[in-house]
C-alpha cells in the first residue's frame, strides 16, 4: 500500500531517509562528495521521497554521480533505464530518466510535456543545477553554480516501461531538447530581428493604411515586452505566386528545414490559401494559430505571426 502521512510526518520521514542514504553512500562510495545526496534530492518533494528506502536512494545517487562523470559540452546526454529497487517495499523497480545538459530555460517543462503526451505516470522529479569543473569531458569536481560551469541534471522516475519504449522515449527527448537548445540560443537574435521589423515599419512605412501600420507596431512592441515566447523565425520570399522559405536566415526551431507549422487536411504546408489571401489585403500583419503543438516550454498550439515585407519601392516581396 502507498504511504499516506500528514505533510509534517512526510517531511520528517523524507529527511530521515535522505540522512540514512547519505550514510549508506558514504560507506559504499567514499569517492562521492558527502553532500551529493542532498544536492540531488534535497529539493524533491517529500511525498515522492518517502516511497523509497534509504539504500535505494543511495544507489540512485551513486548512479547519478557515475553518469555525471563524463559529458560532451553543447549537447544533452540522456539515458533511460529500468532500475531494480531492493529496499522500497512494494515498489520493486522503476524506470529512471537521466539528463545532463547545459543549464538553460525550459528544460524540465519541455521534458515533462513529452512524458505527459505519452501518458507516462511520473513518480519522482529531481532537478539540481551543479557548478561543474571538467578537464575536457571528464568531471574533476563540483563547485557552486556561480564558480563553475552551470550544468542541469534531471532525474525523473516513471512507471516501468519496456526496452523498445525506452529507446523511443530517448529519441523523442533528444528531439525535444534539441529544439529547446535552438530556441534558447537564438532568443536574442530573434528579438533583434523583430525589433528591426518595428524599426523598418517606423522608418519606411509600406503603402498601407496608417492605422494598420501603427497597430502592427504596437502589437510587436507588446510581444517584445516579455509577452511572447519566441521559438522560431523564418523569412519567406514572394514570387508573385507563392512563398519560398529562406532557410539560411531561419532562427530557433525553424532552422529545421523539415518543420512546417501550417496544415491543410493531413498535409503540412509552408503557407495556406488564407496566408496568400492575407498578402493581397491592406494589412501588414496576420496573427493565427499554427497547426502543430510546441514541444518547447508548453504543449500548446504555436502562435503564427506573419509580417509582410516590402522593398524600397513599396512592392510586396515576402513575409517574416
Amino acid at each position: 500500500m502507498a504511504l499516506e502521512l500528514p505533510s509534517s510526518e512526510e517531511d520528517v520521514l523524507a529527511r530521515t531517509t535522505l540522512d540514512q542514504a547519505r550514510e549508506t553512500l558514504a560507506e559504499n562510495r567514499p569517492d562521492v562528495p558527502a553532500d551529493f545526496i542532498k544536492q540531488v534530492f534535497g529539493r524533491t518533494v517529500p511525498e515522492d521521497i518517502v516511497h523509497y528506502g534509504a539504500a535505494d536512494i543511495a544507489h540512485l545517487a551513486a548512479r547519478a554521480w557515475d553518469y555525471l562523470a563524463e559529458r560532451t559540452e553543447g549537447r544533452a546526454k540522456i539515458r533511460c533505464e529500468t532500475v531494480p529497487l531492493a529496499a522500497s517495499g512494494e515498489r520493486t523497480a522503476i524506470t529512471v530518466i537521466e539528463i545532463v545538459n547545459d543549464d538553460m530555460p525550459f528544460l524540465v517543462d519541455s521534458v515533462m510535456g513529452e512524458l505527459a503526451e505519452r501518458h507516462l505516470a511520473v513518480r519522482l522529479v529531481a532537478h539540481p543545477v551543479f557548478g561543474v569543473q571538467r578537464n575536457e569531458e571528464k568531471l574533476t569536481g563540483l563547485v557552486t553554480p556561480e564558480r563553475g560551469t552551470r550544468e542541469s541534471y534531471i532525474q525523473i522516475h516513471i512507471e516501468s516501461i519496456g526496452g523498445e519504449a525506452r529507446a523511443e522515449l530517448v529519441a523523442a527527448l533528444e528531439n525535444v531538447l534539441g529544439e529547446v537548445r535552438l530556441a534558447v540560443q537564438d532568443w536574442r537574435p530573434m528579438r533583434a530581428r523583430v525589433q528591426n521589423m518595428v524599426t523598418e515599419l517606423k522608418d519606411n512605412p509600406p503603402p498601407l493604411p496608417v492605422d494598420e501600420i501603427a497597430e502592427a507596431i504596437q502589437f510587436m512592441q507588446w510581444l517584445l515586452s516579455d509577452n511572447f515566447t519566441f521559438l522560431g523565425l523564418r523569412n519567406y520570399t514572394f514570387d508573385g505566386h507563392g512563398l519560398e522559405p529562406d532557410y539560411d536566415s531561419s532562427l530557433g526551431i525553424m532552422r529545421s528545414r523539415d518543420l512546417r507549422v501550417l496544415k491543410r487536411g493531413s498535409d503540412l504546408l509552408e503557407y495556406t490559401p488564407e496566408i496568400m489571401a492575407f498578402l493581397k489585403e491592406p494589412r501588414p500583419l496576420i496573427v493565427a494559430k499554427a497547426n502543430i503543438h510546441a514541444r518547447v516550454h508548453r504543449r500548446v498550439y504555436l502562435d503564427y505571426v506573419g509580417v509582410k515585407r516590402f522593398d524600397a519601392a513599396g512592392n510586396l516581396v515576402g513575409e517574416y
Side-chain angles (χ1 to χ4, degrees):
M1 293 179 60
L3 291 172
E4 293 185 7
L5 300 170
S7 59
S8 58
E9 292 187 29
E10 281 185 340
D11 291 344
V12 172
L13 181 55
R15 286 198 300 269
T16 301
T17 300
L18 294 181
D19 287 342
Q20 292 173 347
R22 178 179 54 79
E23 294 172 1
T24 300
L25 185 63
E27 182 179 344
N28 296 335
R29 291 289 303 272
D31 58 308
V32 180
D35 63 345
F36 190 65
I37 290 275
K38 183 178 180 180
Q39 288 181 287
V40 175
F41 297 108
R43 295 187 177 181
T44 301
V45 296
E47 64 187 71
D48 292 345
I49 293 292
V50 297
H51 293 281
Y52 293 84
D56 288 331
I57 291 290
H59 175 60
L60 290 164
R63 292 178 80 257
W65 176 255
D66 292 337
Y67 197 57
L68 284 164
E70 194 168 313
R71 173 184 171 256
T72 302
E73 185 180 359
R75 57 176 297 180
K77 180 182 179 184
I78 309 171
R79 74 174 173 183
C80 181
E81 296 180 348
T82 296
V83 179
L85 301 174
S88 300
E90 295 180 357
R91 189 173 290 184
T92 58
I94 200 77
T95 292
V96 179
I97 303 161
E98 290 175 283
I99 303 169
V100 188
N101 205 353
D102 303 297
D103 185 40
M104 65 185 75
F106 307 141
L107 293 176
V108 174
D109 43 4
S110 300
V111 169
M112 295 297 285
E114 183 65 33
L115 301 183
E117 192 160 288
R118 292 170 178 268
H119 306 290
L120 295 170
V122 174
R123 308 301 189 195
L124 178 146
V125 178
H127 180 220
V129 175
F130 295 115
V132 303
Q133 295 175 329
R134 294 188 183 275
N135 182 359
E136 295 182 347
E137 298 180 352
K138 296 188 181 301
L139 180 69
T140 58
L142 296 182
V143 293
T144 63
E146 294 74 25
R147 292 177 53 206
T149 300
R150 292 174 64 93
E151 287 190 0
S152 160
Y153 172 75
I154 299 173
Q155 184 176 130
I156 299 176
H157 300 182
I158 59 174
E159 59 194 5
S160 295
I161 58 176
E164 184 175 343
R166 293 198 302 271
E168 290 177 358
L169 179 57
V170 168
L173 291 176
E174 286 174 345
N175 289 333
V176 168
L177 293 173
E179 289 195 358
V180 171
R181 183 175 295 275
L182 288 174
V184 171
Q185 284 179 339
D186 286 351
W187 176 71
R188 292 187 187 280
M190 283 188 281
R191 286 179 56 87
R193 191 84 62 86
V194 175
Q195 184 59 60
N196 288 341
M197 296 177 203
V198 172
T199 302
E200 187 176 326
L201 285 174
K202 288 181 177 180
D203 295 346
N204 300 292
L208 297 172
V210 174
D211 58 341
E212 290 283 352
I213 297 172
E215 185 175 9
I217 290 171
Q218 290 174 358
F219 178 71
M220 286 193 285
Q221 288 175 330
W222 180 82
L223 297 182
L224 288 166
S225 297
D226 295 329
N227 291 304
F228 192 73
T229 302
F230 293 94
L231 298 185
L233 190 152
R234 185 180 289 161
N235 293 351
Y236 292 84
T237 301
F238 181 60
D239 61 5
H241 304 285
L243 291 169
E244 290 297 325
D246 178 8
Y247 294 116
D248 293 338
S249 68
S250 297
L251 295 171
I253 64 174
M254 297 193 82
R255 285 181 181 269
S256 171
R257 293 176 177 245
D258 296 328
L259 182 65
R260 305 289 186 274
V261 300
L262 299 171
K263 185 167 62 174
R264 178 160 291 274
S266 59
D267 297 325
L268 290 171
L269 307 170
E270 289 285 3
Y271 57 90
T272 64
E274 290 80 6
I275 300 297
M276 296 307 297
F278 153 69
L279 294 177
K280 300 175 183 178
E281 295 177 354
R283 293 185 294 136
L285 183 145
I286 183 173
V287 181
K289 283 293 182 184
N291 298 105
I292 63 171
H293 283 101
R295 295 195 295 181
V296 178
H297 189 30
R298 295 187 296 138
R299 287 295 170 110
V300 295
Y301 283 106
L302 289 161
D303 290 297
Y304 178 104
V305 180
V307 184
K308 289 179 182 176
R309 295 169 50 219
F310 296 86
D311 63 16
N315 301 309
L316 179 67
V317 295
E319 181 192 26
Y320 297 113

